[in-house]
Amino acid sequence: MSNGELLQVEPVELQFPFELKKQISCTLQLTNKSDDYVAFKVKTTNPKKYCVRPNTGVVRPRSTCEVIVTMQAQKEAPPDMQCKDKFLLQSVVVSSGTEAKDITPEMFSKESGNNVEECKLRVAYVPPQLPSPVREGSEEGSSPRASISENGAEFHNASRTYAEPQDSSSEAKALILKLSEEKNSAIQQNNKLQQELELLRRESSRSRGGIPFMYVIIVGLLGLFLGYLLKKT
């Protein structure tokens, strides 16, 4: 547990019960014991490997926030089950009433004179928990913690080596936006066909042989087909 001036972070070592070809998650608990609103941002040295939800947020005074860190499925196990990945939790005091949507990158910029607190978190792989043959309450069968060594490439140039991890919610928003655009396009095409059909009907009523009746039917069928597609979406 790390006791910073702004946020209390638990745990300071993210432990993943490593299994090949399986997504694994663990939880960070951020506790704000102050009377201020505190914004936070989570960064990692390996952003393509992890998904963090939420990776930014605001912890209200005297409250707690949970952050889910998910490691993507791995095809290979690292040598000696040692992991060199690191996480960086940045926190800063913000004005009262600030929400997650109000957070900007400039809030965590030390160059702007902001008092940014940083907490560095390590990653460790531990053996997956297996069903224990002993009864509940026994201390036997507990999984040992994998050790992690401190080496030369720890936290040099942290502002460059750390990057924001993936957030799966952004992918969902992009998909919803794409579907909405396709639906709006289909609606516009259907309205255009309806207008053309109405115009053809008016012209057909004015002139006896101006437009073949079969063409009018085809245009009408196209409009009905587009309407059917819109109902399905």
Side-chain angles (χ1 to χ4, degrees):
M1 180 174 62
S2 175
N3 290 309
E5 294 182 3
L6 300 180
L7 294 180
Q8 175 181 297
V9 185
E10 187 178 3
V12 293
E13 181 179 80
L14 299 175
Q15 295 188 354
F16 293 93
F18 188 87
E19 292 186 56
L20 290 176
K21 300 180 181 180
K22 183 179 179 180
Q23 278 193 348
I24 310 167
S25 299
C26 64
T27 302
L28 276 176
Q29 184 169 293
L30 312 180
T31 302
N32 181 5
K33 292 187 175 181
S34 71
D35 296 322
D36 298 313
Y37 279 68
V38 177
F40 70 88
K41 174 186 286 188
V42 182
K43 293 184 177 182
T44 178
T45 55
N46 198 343
K48 294 182 179 180
K49 186 177 177 180
Y50 300 95
C51 176
V52 179
R53 298 188 65 182
N55 61 349
T56 59
V58 176
V59 187
R60 296 187 177 186
R62 309 293 176 180
S63 62
T64 300
C65 173
E66 286 192 348
V67 176
I68 307 295
V69 181
T70 302
M71 182 178 68
Q72 305 301 322
Q74 301 298 300
K75 298 180 180 179
E76 298 180 355
D80 301 324
M81 291 295 289
Q82 298 296 307
C83 182
K84 297 181 180 180
D85 300 335
K86 302 289 187 299
F87 280 82
L88 181 68
L89 176 72
Q90 295 180 305
S91 54
V92 64
V93 174
V94 293
S95 58
S96 176
T98 300
E99 299 181 0
K101 61 182 179 63
D102 303 319
I103 295 177
T104 62
E106 289 74 18
M107 292 180 177
F108 303 93
S109 173
K110 294 182 179 180
E111 288 76 8
S112 301
N114 297 327
N115 185 18
V116 181
E117 186 175 283
E118 295 183 342
C119 177
K120 297 168 184 177
L121 311 174
R122 299 179 297 177
V123 177
Y125 296 148
V126 297
Q129 295 181 355
L130 300 177
S132 176
V134 298
R135 297 179 180 178
E136 294 183 5
S138 173
E139 296 180 357
E140 297 178 8
S142 60
S143 299
R145 292 175 56 182
S147 61
I148 182 167
S149 60
E150 302 290 342
N151 48 47
E154 283 298 332
F155 302 109
H156 299 301
N157 299 324
S159 60
R160 297 182 180 178
T161 57
Y162 285 94
E164 294 185 26
Q166 299 176 358
D167 190 341
S168 57
S169 61
S170 61
E171 298 178 0
K173 292 178 182 178
L175 179 59
I176 294 174
L177 179 60
K178 182 179 179 182
L179 292 174
S180 299
E181 291 176 351
E182 292 178 353
K183 181 178 180 180
N184 292 334
S185 177
I187 292 175
Q188 293 177 358
Q189 293 180 7
N190 182 56
N191 292 336
K192 184 177 180 181
L193 286 173
Q194 292 290 346
Q195 293 175 359
E196 292 179 355
L197 178 60
E198 183 64 25
L199 180 61
L200 289 173
R201 287 175 179 172
R202 292 178 181 178
E203 293 180 354
S204 177
S205 62
R206 293 176 182 177
S207 59
R208 296 179 179 178
I211 298 176
F213 182 69
M214 184 59 68
Y215 180 73
V216 176
I217 294 177
I218 291 174
V219 175
L221 289 175
L222 286 174
L224 293 175
F225 179 69
L226 283 174
Y228 173 73
L229 289 179
L230 288 173
K231 290 181 179 180
K232 292 188 67 178
T233 58

